[in-house]
Amino acid sequence: MKLFPYGHATHPQWRMAAGLVLAQLRAHMALPEYASAPPLGLLYITDHYAPHAQELLDYVSAELPEVTDWAGTVGVGVAANNVEYFDEPALSVMLCDISPEHYRVFSGVAPLTQGGQGGSSFVPHTALLHADAQTPDVPDLIAELAQRTVSGHVFGGLASSRQQVVQFARRGDGNMAGQGKAAGVFSGGLSGVAFDADVAMVSRVTQGCVPIGPVHTITAVDHHVVLTLDDEAALDVLVRDLNIDLEQRQHALTKVRATLVGLTSAHDAAIKRTGEFDDAVLVRHIIGLDPAQRAVAVAQPVEVGMRLTFCERNVAAARADLMRIGAEIREALEPEEMTAELAGVLSADTFAAPHPARRMAGAIYVSCAGRGGPHFGAPSAELHIVRRALGDVPLVGFFAGGEIAHQNLYGYTGVLTVFTTEV
């Protein structure tokens, strides 16, 4: 597996942006350390290009006939190595040097099957997953699809768009098993790419929220409504943790609107020793208060015994946690023994051109749309942090309406996945 060619561009006209991206891809493909004929393309577009999704896919696939399979989706922003394009017309493309026998593109009309079903010898180990937030019961569908993989883990995100919500899924020059000729652009449901166990990767989740109170145990519920925490009225616990007075209505509402809840199952620890949430925590909105029942309604069905922590978004914690996962991935890929030449490469400037010695062929970063843009303090600041933590590697991604990792749908998180290669 060689380095993955990638390209990104912005332009009011999609065809001009695609031309710029194609020039970057071809320049990479001409270099010896990059793949010269990668078969799998990942395509992410901002919603400015959503009305032209079919034309765009047809154009880039015709210009790159060696790329037989495509997957991707739309976001309010897209990402590439060291840069984000947020709320502007742009696209980001990466071509993956993975042999076709080791992956399968799937969609609602050509669903992913478990290993051995339908006469296929392909056994899915994990999957890159794109989904439409308007699909009914999408969290359950994500968990069900994860169960079709050997690892039980998937990664990706929900499409985000102010126009059409589209997904790309094209296999074998438009032919996908079970559907005949397919255009490759879909709306609704789930799609993506499954990989077998021979495709090595490392994936981490970074949280963007910190607790503002202790961990509580849910002791009485009514579906989405938390009635009691630690056998005390949930609203009274909220008032105490937030240090608010409901008589001061405007101040209290402002504080509550900025507050979220972190939920975990009864046996999972919610808070790391460093004070941030771990990736077992699902962050959800508070959607209402019930003064009559002294209850709190949240945007997630809850059960007695679950743990709940009131929390808030925190930029400093998000920066630190993003640096942490990048460092963890780099450390995981460093060999236990290395030659002097390899040590020299790894100790050199990590902002130099991507190098195979780092064992990172390419990366995908899916971040919450609520984290993109100005949240980290400056344009592209989040992707600058990724590059500082991970080094200079081929990378694409998008800003999602919800992030997918393991078997769960997250919020206010980033999911960073690196395809690894041997040195």
Side-chain angles (χ1 to χ4, degrees):
M1 186 186 294
K2 291 189 173 184
L3 293 174
F4 296 173
Y6 70 106
H8 50 92
T10 177
H11 196 279
Q13 298 178 28
W14 69 263
R15 193 178 293 269
M16 291 294 294
L20 293 169
V21 168
L22 288 168
Q24 296 169 54
L25 294 172
R26 288 167 177 149
H28 282 152
M29 293 162 73
L31 298 174
E33 62 267 27
Y34 282 85
S36 60
L40 173 63
L42 301 179
L43 169 61
Y44 295 109
I45 63 172
T46 62
D47 53 358
H48 294 73
Y49 293 155
H52 310 288
Q54 188 66 67
E55 297 171 273
L56 201 156
L57 176 62
D58 290 343
Y59 177 72
V60 296
S61 59
E63 290 291 320
L64 297 167
E66 60 271 74
V67 182
T68 57
D69 307 297
W70 290 91
T73 192
V74 61
V76 293
V78 297
N81 180 32
N82 206 41
V83 66
E84 67 185 38
Y85 299 96
F86 204 85
D87 196 23
E88 61 182 319
L91 74 156
S92 185
V93 178
M94 186 165 69
L95 308 181
C96 305
D97 184 31
I98 302 172
S99 298
E101 65 268 21
H102 297 305
Y103 68 83
R104 290 291 184 278
V105 174
F106 62 88
S107 71
V109 294
L112 179 65
T113 58
Q114 290 182 305
Q117 293 185 355
S120 173
S121 60
F122 176 76
V123 179
H125 187 263
T126 188
L128 167 62
L129 181 58
H130 308 121
D132 188 333
Q134 300 303 313
T135 301
D137 302 319
V138 70
D140 294 336
L141 292 175
I142 292 169
E144 191 274 332
L145 189 139
Q147 290 301 314
R148 301 183 201 177
T149 68
V150 173
S151 69
H153 288 185
V154 293
F155 63 98
L158 303 184
S160 61
S161 176
R162 292 155 296 191
Q163 302 191 58
Q164 297 97 316
V165 177
V166 298
Q167 299 171 46
F168 301 108
R170 176 179 286 182
R171 179 177 166 193
D173 196 24
N175 293 295
M176 295 181 72
Q179 71 180 69
K181 195 72 174 176
V185 177
F186 298 89
S187 296
L190 281 63
S191 67
V193 189
F195 304 96
D196 70 13
D198 288 338
V199 181
M201 62 184 74
V202 180
S203 190
R204 294 287 188 275
V205 178
T206 177
Q207 297 275 19
C209 296
V210 293
I212 55 177
V215 180
H216 303 287
T217 300
I218 299 174
T219 48
V221 302
D222 181 9
H223 196 50
H224 289 262
V225 180
V226 181
L227 300 173
T228 63
L229 294 168
D230 305 324
D231 294 319
E232 184 180 357
L235 183 55
D236 295 342
V237 176
L238 171 67
V239 168
R240 183 173 64 249
D241 283 3
L242 271 59
N243 192 25
I244 57 175
D245 182 354
L246 293 181
E247 296 299 321
Q248 299 178 6
R249 183 178 178 85
Q250 191 58 47
H251 175 266
L253 285 177
T254 299
K255 184 70 174 178
V256 170
R257 285 169 179 157
T259 302
L260 304 150
V261 296
L263 299 168
T264 59
S265 62
H267 61 275
D268 285 328
I271 303 173
K272 296 180 289 190
R273 285 180 293 179
T274 52
E276 300 103 7
F277 284 145
D278 65 19
D279 58 10
V281 178
L282 300 180
V283 175
R284 296 293 186 263
H285 287 282
I286 295 174
I287 58 175
L289 305 178
D290 185 345
Q293 297 188 88
R294 309 296 293 172
V296 178
V298 300
Q300 172 83 14
V302 290
E303 299 176 353
V304 170
M306 292 178 67
R307 305 293 180 86
L308 181 149
T309 312
F310 296 110
C311 60
E312 63 184 3
R313 296 170 65 193
N314 183 283
V315 174
R319 287 195 189 104
D321 204 49
L322 187 51
M323 287 291 292
R324 175 189 64 82
I325 67 165
E328 284 185 0
I329 291 173
R330 287 181 61 181
E331 290 172 4
L333 297 181
E334 287 184 359
E336 295 182 4
E337 297 181 3
M338 64 182 77
T339 64
E341 180 183 2
L342 178 57
V345 170
L346 293 177
S347 63
D349 181 9
T350 57
F351 297 165
H355 196 288
R358 296 198 186 104
R359 300 179 63 194
M360 301 180 195
I364 300 171
Y365 186 57
V366 180
S367 183
C368 177
R371 289 164 55 104
H375 180 65
F376 280 81
S380 298
E382 184 173 7
L383 274 298
H384 293 338
I385 295 169
V386 173
R387 185 188 186 215
R388 190 175 305 121
L390 198 63
D392 202 356
V393 300
L395 182 147
V396 296
F398 71 107
F399 291 89
E403 302 75 61
I404 298 168
H406 308 305
Q407 299 186 15
N408 299 318
L409 179 61
Y410 290 84
Y412 301 108
T413 61
V415 180
L416 178 60
T417 304
V418 174
F419 293 90
T420 71
T421 180
E422 296 298 327
V423 296

